């Protein structure tokens, strides 16, 4: 018996190289398991969907507070976007010679997610943002996501970042889709690769005035866009050039600038980041989008709402004198919503306008906000609901 047990014991003693192989296998397995666990932890769990982020929701401004997740999708030389994915918000890696950094090859969009009292999230006409990005991308010689790809990405971002959507009436989740030439390029040419990114931030009112009246200044030295340029698309190159004039106006106590046309400098174009409407009686006029003015989604929606309410809505060349003799003036945009203008200063003349609860601006704003937040029934098919 002793001999038998001894023989068995000896048979179980493995050579050293076998032990090493076994340990290496276990080590490799443990490393793979740990790596898989780390990757799983990076993925959105949505377990906090019904909770709110730790924010002072009563004092939201329009600053960047990055939500948890961003969406990234790549496009290679063949012009086809691969399937995108969510990842934690963070820095991205770009070559110093990326097309967007050297030649400004990029366009962006802006849309918002609102929270209803029942917790559902609402998006306002995201398909229109998708179409506008496609138009802008074509102008900047870039491939672009399909409408379905764009809308799906926006929906994923809203859902993954639900805890960052403010409570009803406290603000919204601003969603920023960005398309850029991310591939390296030295000579002036389209980038060899493109990246589509969507990120989000909870926001309140765009202007520091909140919902108070804006005071605008008519800019005569600088122009925003010229015929034949890219003023009619949401190119990233349209915005940095307005900063100098905007800073000067704000240092003088104005909220924003009204730009005039580049040729005669007598016709209204738009403000730094929003469209403009002029009210006289029952007629609402807005500068025609003839290549130098961005076709705003909010602008388009307000025009339809105004027509539904019996106003005569006119797209035309609006002379600055007409602005100075108007009953009301207001601005529209995704970021600003519908904002009343209290005064406009042109040369040495300052004019005040009608504002308040009975104003045309407020009536149109009430309908638009009601549709966006779900308190007014959507009969136009503008709202995308995320359960």
């Amino acid at each position: 018996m002793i001999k038998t047990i001894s023989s068995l014991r000896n048979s179980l003693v493995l050579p050293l190289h076998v032990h090493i192989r076994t340990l290496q296998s276990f080590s490799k397995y443990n490393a793979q398991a740990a790596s898989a666990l780390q990757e799983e932890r990076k993925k959105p769990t949505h377990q906090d969907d019904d909770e709110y982020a730790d924010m002072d929701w009563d004092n939201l401004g329009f600053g960047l507070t990055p939500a948890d997740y961003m969406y990234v999708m790549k496009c290679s030389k063949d012009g086809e976007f691969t399937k995108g994915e969510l990842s934690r918000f963070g820095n991205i890696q770009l070559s110093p010679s990326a097309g967007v950094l050297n030649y400004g090859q990029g366009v962006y969009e802006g849309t918002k997610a609102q929270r209803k009292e029942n917790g559902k999230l609402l998006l306002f006409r995201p398909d229109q943002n998708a179409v506008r990005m496609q138009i802008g991308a074509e102008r900047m010689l870039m491939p672009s996501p399909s409408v379905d790809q764009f809308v799906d990405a926006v929906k994923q971002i809203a859902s993954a970042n639900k805890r960052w959507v403010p409570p009803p009436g406290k603000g919204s989740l601003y969603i920023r889709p960005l398309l850029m030439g991310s591939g390296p390029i030295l000579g002036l040419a389209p980038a060899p690769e493109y990246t589509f990114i969507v990120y989000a931030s909870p926001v309140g009112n765009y202007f520091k005035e909140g919902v108070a009246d804006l005071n605008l200044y008519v800019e005569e030295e600088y122009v925003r866009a010229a015929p034949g340029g890219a003023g009619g698309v949401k190119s990233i190159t349209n915005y940095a050039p307005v900063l100098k004039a905007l800073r000067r106006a704000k240092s003088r106590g104005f909220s924003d600038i009204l730009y005039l046309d580049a040729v005669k400098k007598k016709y209204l174009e738009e403000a730094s980041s929003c469209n403009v409407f002029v009210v006289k009686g029952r007629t609402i006029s807005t500068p025609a989008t003839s290549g130098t003015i961005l076709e705003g989604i909010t602008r388009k929606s307000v025009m339809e709402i105004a027509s539904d309410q019996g106003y005569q809505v006119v797209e035309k060349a609006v002379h600055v004198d007409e602005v100075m003799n108007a009953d009301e003036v207001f601005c529209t945009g995704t970021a600003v919503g519908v904002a009343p203008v209290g005064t406009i200063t042109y040369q040495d003349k300052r004019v005040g306008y009608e504002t308040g609860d009975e104003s045309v601006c407020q009536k149109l704003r009430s309908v638009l906000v009601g549709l966006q937040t779900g308190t007014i029934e959507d009969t136009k098919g503008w709202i995308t609901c995320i359960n």
Side-chain angles (χ1 to χ4, degrees):
M1 173 65 78
I2 294 174
K3 182 178 179 181
T4 304
I5 294 174
S6 176
S7 300
L8 181 60
R9 183 184 298 116
N10 290 337
S11 68
L12 293 174
V13 177
L14 300 176
L16 179 61
H17 70 277
V18 175
H19 280 295
I20 291 174
R21 258 200 322 269
T22 303
L23 289 172
Q24 287 175 336
S25 297
F26 275 111
S27 177
K28 181 179 179 181
Y29 173 79
N30 288 336
Q32 290 174 340
S35 176
L37 182 60
Q38 288 176 351
E39 288 300 316
E40 190 65 30
R41 285 173 177 169
K42 290 180 183 179
K43 294 179 181 179
T45 61
H46 306 298
Q47 63 184 9
D48 295 327
D49 274 357
D50 296 326
E51 300 177 5
Y52 286 105
D54 185 15
M55 290 284 294
D56 182 1
W57 299 113
D58 292 320
N59 292 289
L60 283 178
F62 203 90
L64 177 63
T65 305
D68 295 327
Y69 298 99
M70 63 182 186
Y71 179 94
V72 181
M73 182 166 61
K74 297 279 189 178
C75 177
S76 57
K77 293 179 181 179
D78 61 10
E80 293 295 326
F81 278 93
T82 58
K83 184 178 180 181
E85 61 181 15
L86 292 170
S87 62
R88 284 283 183 178
F89 180 89
N91 294 338
I92 61 173
Q93 190 171 18
L94 279 178
S95 166
S97 61
V100 67
L101 298 180
N102 290 264
Y103 301 116
Q105 194 182 23
V107 294
Y108 77 91
E109 280 296 324
T111 187
K112 290 178 177 178
Q114 307 278 355
R115 185 190 294 267
K116 291 186 69 175
E117 291 289 350
N118 62 8
K120 292 183 178 180
L121 303 183
L122 304 179
L123 299 173
F124 185 71
R125 309 188 78 176
D127 58 310
Q128 296 298 301
N129 293 96
V131 171
R132 189 169 65 177
M133 174 169 276
Q134 290 180 335
I135 294 171
E138 191 276 332
R139 176 65 178 85
M140 306 298 284
L141 206 58
M142 306 167 68
S144 59
S146 68
V147 172
D148 288 342
Q149 287 175 320
F150 182 103
V151 173
D152 178 65
V154 170
K155 290 168 70 174
Q156 286 194 50
I157 280 296
S159 296
N161 294 305
K162 185 174 181 179
R163 73 191 193 98
W164 293 94
V165 183
K170 300 293 185 180
S172 57
L173 183 70
Y174 183 84
I175 299 173
R176 170 61 61 83
L178 171 65
L179 176 64
M180 60 183 173
S182 52
I185 192 77
L186 183 60
L188 181 57
E193 180 189 77
Y194 297 88
T195 301
F196 176 65
I197 295 177
V198 188
Y199 64 92
S201 173
V203 298
N205 292 306
Y206 181 78
F207 290 106
K208 67 178 183 179
E209 292 87 349
V211 293
D213 305 342
L214 304 179
N215 299 306
L216 305 183
Y217 175 78
V218 178
E219 175 61 45
E220 294 184 272
E221 179 180 359
Y222 298 104
V223 297
R224 177 189 169 275
V233 298
K234 210 166 177 64
S235 164
I236 63 173
T237 56
N238 288 337
Y239 293 89
V242 310
L243 296 178
K244 185 175 182 179
L246 182 58
R247 172 177 286 184
R248 183 174 65 181
K250 288 191 173 183
S251 70
R252 298 174 181 174
F254 296 102
S255 310
D256 204 345
I257 290 169
L258 282 178
Y259 284 97
L260 299 177
D261 71 289
V263 179
K264 297 182 179 180
K265 292 191 176 181
K266 289 294 181 183
Y267 294 94
L268 189 65
E269 294 262 288
E270 61 178 90
S272 300
S273 59
C274 47
N275 296 116
V276 181
F277 287 81
V278 176
V279 182
K280 189 70 175 180
R282 297 286 298 177
T283 300
I284 302 176
S285 303
T286 189
T289 54
S290 54
T292 58
I293 297 170
L294 185 67
E295 296 192 26
I297 311 301
T298 309
R299 171 187 180 273
K300 179 180 181 180
S301 304
V302 166
M303 290 171 63
E304 188 167 335
I305 292 170
S307 295
D308 291 344
Q309 294 195 353
Y311 292 97
Q312 181 182 6
V313 181
V314 181
E315 293 183 86
K316 66 174 187 176
V318 181
H319 197 280
V320 66
D321 289 344
E322 186 176 342
V323 179
M324 303 305 284
N325 289 296
D327 298 330
E328 287 184 44
V329 177
F330 60 89
C331 299
T332 66
T334 298
V336 307
V338 181
V341 174
T343 69
I344 291 179
T345 300
Y346 173 53
Q347 296 178 344
D348 58 351
K349 184 179 181 182
R350 183 168 183 159
V351 175
Y353 301 97
E354 298 173 10
T355 60
D357 293 342
E358 297 304 314
S359 65
V360 175
C361 170
Q362 182 56 37
K363 292 175 183 177
L364 298 178
R365 179 182 181 277
S366 296
V367 175
L368 179 69
V369 172
L371 289 168
Q372 292 173 331
T373 58
T375 59
I376 293 178
E377 182 184 0
D378 173 31
T379 60
K380 298 178 177 293
W382 288 353
I383 300 300
T384 297
C385 183
I386 304 175
N387 294 325

